[in-house]
Amino acid sequence: MPIAAEEEPELPSFSSAEVERIAEALVFASAEPVSEAFLAERLPRGTNVNAVMQQLAEVYAPRGVNLIRTGDRWAFRTAADLSFVIRNEDNETKKLSRAALEVLAIIAYHQPVTRAEIEEIRGVQTSRGTLDVLMEAGWVRFRGRRRTPGRPVTLATTPDFLDHFGLEELRDLPGLEELKGAGLLSGRIPPGFAIPVPLNIDDLSEDEDPITQLDLEELGLLTPGGEAEE
């Protein structure tokens, strides 16, 4: 006698307004920006997560708190024009040195880039301390190893970099005309000077190998045996 297949329990149906409320609660309750993959696992099956979040972003656009996208992650942030209202005077903001700003800009626009390439662009050596500051801030990461003699490490920015500077993707970095308009470039720009357009590519390029545990130990990020350093 054939055994009847068990019927899957019927899932409750949600209106679009209820789905938006669930998504809103998930982002609000998270201390970190929430990925669309995380939301997709928790929203009703078949939900167009991106469409839901775009709709919510429009709702929050005129408010004091905005829903912003950085990469594929979403977070609530104070509206840019109101940030001065909640500035905490008790916390002293540490400014990056000129060297750190230069290195961060080079990594952002030229990634993936090696330390030697950064030094070639700047014309001076880059201290390990400068890179340490950027990594401790969570804005720069080791990406891979270049398939060239010496297998130099390649560097790239992180999702936290996008989040901190309010960028949805790397292509939102200011271009040449924007930098000139903001007074960040000298009026005497060499002929043929151009700013590269950053690529939104996380996958390793053809001339890169992934970072292994052995690489991390060699770089001092893991102790022998695989435990992260304090």
Side-chain angles (χ1 to χ4, degrees):
M1 180 176 179
I3 300 175
E6 293 185 5
E7 294 184 1
E8 292 187 4
E10 186 175 345
L11 298 175
S13 59
F14 295 90
S15 67
S16 58
E18 289 172 325
V19 172
E20 287 181 12
R21 290 184 66 233
I22 296 171
E24 181 181 29
L26 289 169
V27 178
F28 181 82
S30 176
E32 301 292 335
V34 174
S35 69
E36 292 192 358
F38 175 90
L39 293 169
E41 291 176 356
R42 288 155 179 80
L43 292 174
R45 188 181 304 170
T47 297
N48 186 331
V49 177
N50 185 263
V52 169
M53 301 311 291
Q54 293 290 354
Q55 176 62 31
L56 271 177
E58 291 181 14
V59 171
Y60 276 91
R63 297 184 180 178
V65 174
N66 297 155
L67 180 64
I68 65 167
R69 178 177 181 173
T70 58
D72 71 337
R73 305 190 304 170
W74 294 87
F76 284 112
R77 293 289 182 265
T78 304
D81 61 328
L82 297 178
S83 58
F84 72 95
V85 177
I86 62 169
R87 183 180 303 157
N88 188 346
E89 301 295 345
D90 296 332
N91 293 333
E92 181 182 355
T93 301
K94 294 183 179 179
K95 294 184 178 180
L96 291 179
S97 66
R98 181 183 180 87
L101 285 171
E102 290 177 356
V103 171
L104 180 60
I106 291 170
I107 294 173
Y109 282 96
H110 292 266
Q111 60 187 300
V113 62
T114 66
R115 181 171 173 175
E117 290 166 345
I118 293 171
E119 293 176 346
E120 182 180 356
I121 294 170
R122 293 185 66 216
V124 295
Q125 288 188 339
T126 300
S127 71
R128 175 62 186 267
T130 298
L131 288 173
D132 285 344
V133 167
L134 297 176
M135 290 188 171
E136 287 171 6
W139 297 341
V140 169
R141 64 183 173 89
F142 292 125
R143 171 186 161 103
R145 302 204 81 151
R146 190 70 53 77
R147 294 176 184 171
T148 55
R151 298 185 66 244
V153 175
T154 55
L155 299 160
T157 55
T158 66
D160 285 342
F161 167 81
L162 295 176
D163 184 34
H164 181 84
F165 290 98
L167 303 171
E168 182 173 331
E169 57 183 14
L170 289 172
R171 292 192 184 94
D172 293 331
L173 284 166
L176 180 60
E177 294 304 319
E178 292 173 288
L179 292 173
K180 286 168 61 177
L184 297 176
L185 290 177
S186 167
R188 293 184 295 232
I189 298 176
F193 177 82
I195 293 178
V197 178
L199 301 175
N200 291 318
I201 300 176
D202 286 331
D203 295 335
L204 297 175
S205 57
E206 293 182 357
D207 65 346
E208 286 181 288
D209 287 321
I211 292 281
T212 65
Q213 179 173 313
L214 185 61
D215 292 324
L216 294 176
E217 291 177 6
E218 180 184 327
L219 295 167
L221 299 181
L222 288 180
T223 56
E227 294 183 0
E229 288 190 338
E230 295 289 336

